Amino acid sequence: MGGGELGRAVELLVRQVGHWQQPRWAAAAAGGNVSRADLVHRLVQEMANLAADVEGGPRRTVPRLDNDLALPDQLRVVAADLVAAAPPEVLARAAAEVTATRNAL
C-alpha cells in the first residue's frame, strides 16, 4: 500500500483482526460502548472523509456491509485512497487514528 507510517499501522491492525470471526467482531471494544466492528467501521469512514477532504470532493457514507469480515478489506481500500491523495501531515494524523483504534480493540 505504501504511505510509510499509515501503511504500517493499517497492516498491523489488519493482522490483528483479519482472522476474527463474527462473535469477536460483535464483542465490545475496550471502551465498552460500541462493538469492535462499529469501531473499525468508524475508522474506515474517518479515512474516507479525510480522503474526500484532501481531494476536494464530497464526503460519502461508506456502506456498512452485512459481513463484518469485510472490514479489513474496506480499511485497506480507503487507506490506499488516502495515501494516493494526502500530504504527509494528513497521513500522520490518519496513522495515529489507526493506532488508537488498534489499541482500543
Side-chain angles (χ1 to χ4, degrees), residues 7-20:
R8 283 187 295 280
V10 167
E11 285 309 310
L12 285 171
L13 191 147
V14 167
R15 273 192 246 143
Q16 178 178 338
V17 303
H19 63 281
W20 287 3

Side-chain angles (χ1 to χ4, degrees), residues 7 12 22 40-41 60 62 66 68 71:
L12 285 171
Q22 193 58 44
V40 173
H41 184 263
R60 293 186 174 91
V62 176
D66 291 335
D68 292 331
L71 285 166

Side-chain angles (χ1 to χ4, degrees), residues 6 11 14 17 27-29 32 35 46-47 49 63 65 67 75 80-81 83 97-98 103 105:
L6 177 58
E11 285 309 310
V14 167
V17 303
S35 72
E46 217 170 284
M47 296 292 136
N49 290 346
L65 303 176
N67 189 342
L75 178 60
D81 289 346
V83 166
E97 289 295 324
V98 172
N103 291 336
L105 293 173

Side-chain angles (χ1 to χ4, degrees), residues 19-45:
H19 63 281
W20 287 3
Q21 295 301 314
Q22 193 58 44
R24 200 149 179 200
W25 280 109
N33 58 348
V34 296
S35 72
R36 291 169 167 165
D38 289 340
L39 191 66
V40 173
H41 184 263
R42 188 181 309 154
L43 175 66
V44 169
Q45 183 65 60

